[in-house]
Structures are given as C-alpha cells and as structure tokens.
Amino acid sequence: MSDVLALPDYTEMDPAVAARFVRLKQRPVVLEVDRVGKTYASAKGPTTALADVSFQVHRREFITVIGASGCGKSTLIRMLAGLEPYTAGSIALDGKPVSGPGPERGMVFQGYTLFPWLTVTRNVMFGLRMAGMGDDEARSQAQQWIELVGLARFADAYPHQLSGGMKQRVAIARALANRPRILLMDEPFGALDAQTRSQMQSYLLQIWENVNITVLFITHDLDEAILLADRIVVLGAPTPGIPHGHLMEIIDVPVPHPRSAEQLLSPRFLATRRRIEELIHGGHAQSTSDKLPMIKMTQAGDEVV
Amino acid sequence: MTVGVPATPWFAVRRELAPRQRAVLALIAVLLPLAVWSAVSYVPWIWHPMMMVERGAEDSYLKPGTLVEHGAFVRENQRLVSAGQVPATGVPANPVFLPAPHLVAIALYQAFVTPPRLRGDPWLHQSLWQSIQVIFWGFTLSALVGVPLGVLCGTFAAIARVVEPFVDFIRYMPAPAFGALMVAILGINDAPKIAVIFIGTFFQMVLVVANTTRQLDRALLEAAQTLGARNRQLVTSVILPGIMPNLYSDMRVLLGWAWTYLIVAELIGATSGISYFINRQGKLLNFANVYAGIAIIGMIGLVTDQILSALGRALFPWQNQPVGAVTRWALAIIGFVPRVVLRTVARNRAEYQRSQAELLARHRAAAAPSAPHVERPETPP
Ligand SMILES: Nc1ncnc2c1ncn2[C@@H]1O[C@H](COP(=O)(O)OP(=O)(O)OP(=O)(O)O)[C@@H](O)[C@H]1O
Ligand SMILES: [Mg+2]
C-alpha cells in the first residue's frame, strides 16, 4: 500500500526538528541501558529472551519500544523496573545501578493493577504514604494529580466503578504522584478500544508536555509508537540468525511537535511507519510462516472468498 | 423493575438474582425442609413404620402407649384373635427418634423454662452460654496465632518451608484424640475443651490462610513495589487489605468447624454445655429434646453466619456485592451499639487532646519563648 506513495526518506527531517534532536541529545542521560540481556532458566535448559540491548534515555525524552510479540519487550521493561533481574550488561538510573524496584522508576502495567480496596484518591496517595508523607499533605497532592487526569468527579469511587480507560488514567496519576525520574509503561492502552486508546494517547501527550517527566513506553502498535515518541527503539524477534530478542534500530522520529492524530497521514509519519514495518515484518522468512497449516473444515460450495 | 429490562433468569451461571427472587428462595430454603418433616410426621400414610398402641390387650405386651413395629403389631393381634382374645388397637406412628415438629418446638420451649433437676445444675441457657464461651476462646486463640502465621507462610517462602510440613503432619491427627492428653495437662474444666477446639481449627487455619495469601494477585505486589513499598509495607498495606475479604470468609467456614468439634470437646473431662444437655436427653430417650438441642446449635450457627456475612459486605464495600434490605436493617441495628460507643470514645479523645493542648500551651507560656519543636518537613511541590 505505502509502496504506491512516493515517501521521503525516514531519516530526513525539517531543520527545526533536527535542531530539537541536537538539543535533546545534549540533555543529561537519565537511563543508561548497556548491553543488557536476559536468560531464563527453564526446564529445557537456559533460554535467552533478550541480549545485547543498549540505549540511553535523556531527560524529558519520550521513548517508545516496539517489536513483534515475543521479542522481549515486557522482559526489558520489567528489568528496567527492577522486577526481573538481568543476567547480562548493566542498567543505571542517574548513574546508579538498578538492583530492584523503586519509586524513582514508576510503572503503569497493561493489566489493571489499582488496589481494589482503595478509592481513587487513596490509590493515588499510596506511593506518597509509603514514602512517609502525612495523610493531609498526600491527599492534597493526590487531588492535584487526579484533576490533572480529569477524574476529580471520581475521586471517591472504587476501581470497580471505573471504566478501563479511567482505571489507566488513575494508574498514571498514581505513578506520577511519586514524581518518578522515569515513567515506565508496558502497553498501558493495549486493552482499550481504538477510540479510548487515541483519547488516552492525547491525554498522555498533554501530560508529558506539561509535567517534568521522562517516559519509556512499550507498544506493539505502529501508529502509537510514532505518534508518542521522540525516538523509537525497535526490537527484533528471534530469527534463525539471531536466536533471541535483539535491538534492531533506534529511530529519530521526524514528525514535528506538538503531535496530534492529524499527523497520522503526513508523509514523514508514513515514511517512519514504513521503515518500522520493514524492520519488524521484514522480507525474510516471515512471509512463509504467515500461512497457517490449514485443513479445510467447511463444506464445498460454502467458500467465503 | 424497569420496563424493558428482562427478568433475571432463575438459572444463570454466576449471576446474582433479583431481590424478589432472593427473598422467595430464602423462604423456600426454610419452608421446604419443614414441609418435608411435617409431611412425614403428620400424614399417616407417609412412612410411619410403627404402631402406637391405644387400647392394650390382656396377656400381651401390647400395653397402651407402647410403640411397636407394624409387622410385630399385626402378628401379635393375629395371635390374640386366634386365641379368642380382643385385639389391641393402635395408630400408625413414627419411631421414637423422629418426633413431630410441634413436639420439638414444645421441647425447645420446655427445655429453656424447666429448672434443672438437681440444684447446682445449669439451666439450658447457662449451658449454652458455656458452650459459646468455649467456642469463642478456642476459636479466638486459634485465629490470634493461626492468621498471622498463615499470612507469614503465604508471604515468605522461607517461613512456609519450615512451618507447613509440621502443620500438615499434625493436621491429619484427629483433634479429639488429644482430649485425654489435654485433660491430663489442663485439668477437667473448660481449658482442655478450649484446647481441643484450638487443635481442631488451628492447623487447618494456618494452611487455609497461607493459601488465601498466596492467591493475592502478584501484579498488585509488583505495582506496590514500583510505588516504593518495602517488605513490611507490602505486608501491611497490600497483602493484608488485599486478602481481607477472603480471609473473612475463611474464618466463617472455620468457625463452622469449631462448632463440630465442640460436641466432642464438651464430652472431655467434666461433660458440660449444650452437649451435656443433648447427651443426657438422649440417654433418657427424650428425642424431642435432643432435636431441640441440635436445632439450637444450628440456629446459633445460622444466625452468626448471617450476621457475619452481612457484616462482611459492609466491611468490604469494594467487593460490589448486593446488600439486601433485610441486611441493611440488621446492620443498622447491629451498628447502633458500636456507633454509640465509638462516638463516645471519639468525643472523649477529642476532649483529652484539647485539654492536653491547653496544658502544653500553658506550659510553653510559662517556659522561656523558644522555637516550636514540632515542624512539618517541607516537601517540594
Ligand atoms: N518466566 C519466563 N520463563 C521463561 N521464558 C520466559 C519467561 N518470561 C518470558 N519468557 C520468554 O521470553 C520471551 C519474551 O517474552 P516477553 O513477554 O518479554 O515478550 P513481549 O515482547 O512482551 O511479547 P508481547 O508483545 O506478546 O507481550 C518469550 O519468548 C517468552 O517465552
Ligand atoms: Mg508483553
């Protein structure tokens, strides 16, 4: 489809965008990932899920990580969060090695992980209370974050009274309330319908523009990856040549800011999209395994195509 | 019911019924067994395998008021007739171990108002109260140790590996088997009975609670960790509140077990409590009274469980369970007493704090002016 259009090269960008990248890369490095790898010890011996992944995240940067299913995206972000130990390389936040979960690396999960026994306000207060802040102070700060995600009306509701999108907004507020150095998000909108999802993307962009926050966001949705990101880390699934998840390319997104859904069809956007498609679903081997080994299970004459 | 909403089907998998349906079913649940019992008791051609002799016969064991098997009654009468004597008459009856509902009801009433035969013997309500105390202490002690231990086992593998094999081993030993041992150690009064209930519930409780603890969604713990919760905070702020509703229903189930151990426990040492009553009436063949005793236990159990269930729904509002009108009324009544107490406590505490503050202020005024030592730490916005 996109072959039909004459698209610019995805590495070309407007001077203003290029200048922005120069400035961005001069900012201090918040997260340093250096040749990180993970080998699981399974019953059939050790299996390497991910190896040799290196990248840096600068302050206030929005990084998305994209890759086919099973390439190790969740493994990577869980290692960054400290929920999973890494077996090779190093991860450092502000120069200090990561050795376990901590409040300076907030996380929003794909599943809903709000505490069902706490109201929205109390959920958002959770991290502040854990850090020893008094109840009143924590409450007033939590209220600000709840207003920021537009849920003031539901401050006293319990999670089971909220829709999926609202739950994820609370989860974002809850993570932000801790003022983390970096916000890690593992396919946070994966379970939402398309419309809610694009609304959530716009919320997230607004929050990122207005709050001092660095974001690392995992997705398998191409449009989402491009729309949100300054830079995109593309991970590759295991291939016969490289039998584990691996880093393919880090793409500087040439689409100018501020971002909005209208840019989804702009030439630069489409060029980037085509590049990622090439990387992930690239010509090799993949197309042959696309066909399922199907047995015909319909009656003759009942064909649909 | 609003127009357009289809009525809830009676058999829908895992769906709550409409309040009307629930009320109807609750009524059936009570009336159906009663109806069956009444039918068997009052309808002469249902069951009734015995004959109650009305007019006796001479030279025979068929005396007025005796209860004999139907076959034996017929044979004896045939013998009497062939011997040229007047046969006995009788009405069909049920065996002595199945008294009619009204007899049990009368016995229930009588049991409470009849003074004990010997002076110093307890009245029925006193026996009951004693039973309740034994249950209460046995179960409370068991929960005080068992719940924390179970939570620790479910939280820390290191503790589970040490505790659980031992607990699992003892769990299979029947609690009553410890009775003689407990009497030898603790004497013949309430202590060994409490101990048997403790043994009967404690070991199960540790395993059940540990299992409930393990079932808490791991993702909640991970989320809490990324929010800065540490080991102890994870236990107090995530695990405990997270498992509370399930823990609560575990306790309800285990409390039922405690009652089943009660009967055995009370026969240990000096027989006492409601078991003493049941046992004694059984020996005297007053089966109506035996049923009355059993019914009392059942009713106490049912009422306690209903109260606990209603209380559970009020305690855990995030569980989103429907609270019926009856339950709300019951709660309002139950809640009234503690509310008065709590309000009084709160008022007293407020007064106390005010007086303390005044005292402190006066103290400060008396001392040389100095910087206040309580200061909120500044937090950057
Ligand atoms: N606990 C585990 N033990 C063994 N192997 C694991 C474990 N967790 C993940 N893996 C393997 O690691 C690889 C990467 O898994 P991961 O969940 O990180 O993929 P993903 O990119 O997040 O996929 P998806 O997009 O479907 O969520 C998979 O091949 C998986 O089988
Ligand atoms: Mg994943």
Side-chain angles (χ1 to χ4, degrees):
Chain A
M1 219 172 45
S2 45
D3 317 319
V4 197
L5 292 171
L7 291 175
D9 189 77
Y10 76 99
T11 52
E12 281 173 17
M13 51 182 82
D14 299 339
V17 176
R20 185 170 172 278
F21 271 112
V22 171
R23 288 199 306 278
L24 192 153
K25 284 169 188 171
Q26 283 166 354
R27 292 189 208 145
V29 173
V30 172
L31 185 73
E32 169 97 52
V33 180
D34 186 25
R35 282 163 296 160
V36 152
K38 171 83 188 181
T39 304
Y40 286 106
S42 68
K44 284 184 280 174
T47 45
T48 302
L50 199 68
D52 216 19
V53 174
S54 304
F55 60 91
Q56 295 179 330
V57 184
H58 300 267
R59 199 180 78 79
R60 292 277 269 133
E61 193 173 8
F62 201 128
I63 293 257
T64 57
V65 178
I66 193 165
S69 182
C71 69
K73 302 185 296 291
S74 296
T75 304
L76 174 66
I77 203 164
R78 288 176 57 80
M79 289 193 293
L80 299 181
L83 295 171
E84 199 85 68
Y86 39 94
T87 52
S90 68
I91 299 173
L93 186 86
D94 293 324
K96 288 189 286 291
V98 164
S99 63
E104 70 287 346
R105 280 158 289 128
M107 179 127 168
V108 178
F109 298 80
Q110 168 165 11
Y112 304 125
T113 57
L114 296 182
F115 304 117
W117 60 92
L118 297 179
T119 59
V120 167
T121 309
R122 291 239 149 237
N123 261 289
V124 178
M125 286 164 67
F126 187 88
L128 302 173
R129 297 287 288 145
M130 291 299 112
M133 186 182 284
D135 207 64
D136 297 336
E137 175 66 18
R139 181 177 297 275
S140 74
Q141 288 201 17
Q143 265 154 11
Q144 290 172 16
W145 291 107
I146 293 167
E147 265 163 44
L148 184 86
V149 295
L151 287 175
R153 250 174 7 99
F154 294 90
D156 294 321
Y158 283 100
H160 76 257
Q161 298 164 314
L162 305 180
S163 72
M166 286 152 98
K167 282 183 200 164
Q168 287 307 64
R169 268 143 79 190
V170 177
I172 292 171
R174 182 176 70 170
L176 287 177
N178 259 7
R179 313 307 312 263
R181 291 289 293 157
I182 187 164
L183 181 63
L184 307 170
M185 308 179 87
D186 186 4
E187 301 199 33
F189 309 146
L192 305 178
D193 63 89
Q195 202 175 353
T196 315
R197 189 179 182 129
S198 92
Q199 201 177 30
M200 293 294 290
Q201 289 162 0
S202 120
Y203 281 136
L204 184 60
L205 279 173
Q206 287 171 45
I207 291 171
W208 172 69
E209 280 156 24
N210 293 300
V211 177
N212 172 7
I213 185 73
T214 309
V215 183
L216 187 134
F217 186 107
I218 296 224
T219 179
H220 61 246
D221 181 309
L222 297 178
D223 291 333
E224 186 169 71
I226 303 166
L227 186 71
L228 297 176
D230 287 319
R231 293 189 298 149
I232 303 175
V233 174
V234 185
L235 295 185
T239 59
I242 316 173
H244 49 71
H246 56 279
L247 179 66
M248 296 184 95
E249 187 174 335
I250 299 176
I251 297 175
D252 294 355
V253 179
V255 183
H257 280 80
R259 298 273 172 76
S260 70
E262 284 110 62
Q263 290 165 312
L264 249 53
L265 293 175
S266 76
R268 295 213 190 284
F269 197 103
L270 292 175
T272 314
R273 197 177 196 288
R274 186 166 66 179
R275 173 61 185 163
I276 301 174
E277 256 170 1
E278 271 168 28
L279 284 171
I280 296 179
H281 309 298
H284 53 266
Q286 203 74 26
S287 48
T288 52
S289 63
D290 258 7
K291 277 243 183 284
L292 291 171
M294 271 293 155
I295 318 164
K296 200 167 174 78
M297 294 176 80
T298 56
Q299 285 173 357
D302 198 22
E303 276 80 29
V304 283
V305 287
Chain B
M1 308 232 151
T2 33
V3 183
V5 177
T8 322
W10 288 92
F11 293 95
V13 174
R14 290 202 57 174
R15 266 187 52 200
E16 190 44 275
L17 296 164
R20 274 273 299 273
Q21 289 170 306
R22 270 183 279 154
V24 168
L25 290 178
L27 212 62
I28 290 177
V30 174
L31 293 186
L32 195 63
L34 256 183
V36 171
W37 185 17
S38 300
V40 172
S41 300
Y42 300 130
V43 182
W45 63 85
I46 299 180
W47 204 34
H48 289 74
M50 314 289 280
M51 291 298 277
M52 169 70 80
V53 180
E54 283 192 324
R55 197 197 62 215
E58 274 179 44
D59 292 339
S60 164
Y61 64 88
L62 298 179
K63 299 287 172 233
T66 43
L67 201 60
V68 291
E69 261 182 50
H70 197 270
F73 180 84
V74 172
R75 258 175 282 133
E76 180 68 1
N77 265 352
Q78 278 167 353
R79 188 186 66 79
L80 287 170
V81 171
S82 59
Q85 294 191 352
V86 188
T89 60
V91 288
N94 278 329
V96 67
F97 59 79
L98 188 79
H102 74 277
L103 292 179
V104 173
I106 293 170
L108 193 60
Y109 172 73
Q110 288 290 343
F112 275 102
V113 297
T114 312
R117 237 174 260 181
L118 299 174
R119 237 188 314 150
D121 266 7
W123 286 68
L124 179 58
H125 68 267
Q126 289 171 322
S127 298
L128 255 182
W129 180 235
Q130 198 189 2
S131 294
I132 290 174
Q133 280 178 310
V134 167
I135 288 266
F136 176 82
W137 286 113
F139 190 76
T140 305
L141 289 176
S142 164
L144 279 180
V145 191
V147 170
L149 194 58
V151 171
L152 286 177
C153 282
T155 307
F156 301 109
I159 297 179
R161 295 266 167 192
V162 174
V163 172
E164 282 188 8
F166 177 71
V167 167
D168 219 15
F169 173 60
I170 303 217
R171 177 169 78 112
Y172 282 101
M173 306 181 183
F178 290 88
L181 190 65
M182 289 301 128
V183 170
I185 300 173
L186 298 167
I188 59 162
N189 290 321
D190 280 353
K193 307 178 203 306
I194 293 174
V196 166
I197 292 191
F198 180 91
I199 293 170
T201 50
F202 174 78
F203 297 98
Q204 305 289 345
M205 191 182 283
V206 172
L207 295 184
V208 167
V209 171
N211 207 36
T212 294
T213 308
R214 286 194 195 100
Q215 267 159 22
L216 183 71
D217 188 358
R218 209 190 162 70
L220 294 181
L221 290 169
E222 291 185 342
Q225 281 178 301
T226 65
L227 290 165
R230 302 250 156 218
N231 256 4
R232 226 190 41 206
Q233 292 171 317
L234 283 178
V235 175
T236 56
S237 303
V238 183
I239 292 183
L240 282 181
I243 64 170
M244 207 50 92
N246 290 336
L247 197 61
Y248 189 83
S249 17
D250 287 348
M251 291 301 119
R252 274 172 59 197
V253 173
L254 285 162
L255 186 58
W257 289 39
W259 276 98
T260 60
Y261 281 113
L262 176 77
I263 299 298
V264 192
E266 283 183 336
L267 297 180
I268 292 166
T271 308
S272 70
I274 182 76
S275 314
Y276 173 74
F277 173 81
I278 294 176
N279 225 31
R280 194 170 166 72
Q281 298 301 327
K283 283 189 185 135
L284 299 173
L285 299 186
N286 288 339
F287 285 103
N289 288 34
V290 171
Y291 281 102
I294 296 175
I296 290 170
I297 295 183
M299 280 187 280
I300 292 179
L302 182 70
V303 169
T304 322
D305 201 59
Q306 288 299 307
I307 292 174
L308 289 180
S309 145
L311 203 63
R313 281 191 290 260
L315 281 173
F316 311 117
W318 69 88
Q319 291 259 303
N320 199 20
Q321 290 158 335
V323 178
V326 179
T327 310
R328 269 204 302 276
W329 275 100
L331 279 179
I333 295 165
I334 299 165
F336 180 71
V337 179
R339 220 167 20 239
V340 170
V341 174
L342 285 181
R343 206 179 304 147
T344 319
V345 169
R347 202 176 40 229
N348 288 350
R349 189 190 301 164
E351 252 161 42
Y352 171 77
Q353 279 169 351
R354 210 166 26 245
S355 71
Q356 287 294 300
E358 260 170 39
L359 219 81
L360 194 72
R362 237 177 292 155
H363 207 76
R364 284 237 185 90
S370 64
H373 37 255
V374 192
E375 209 167 67
R376 232 168 234 261
E378 285 285 278
T379 36

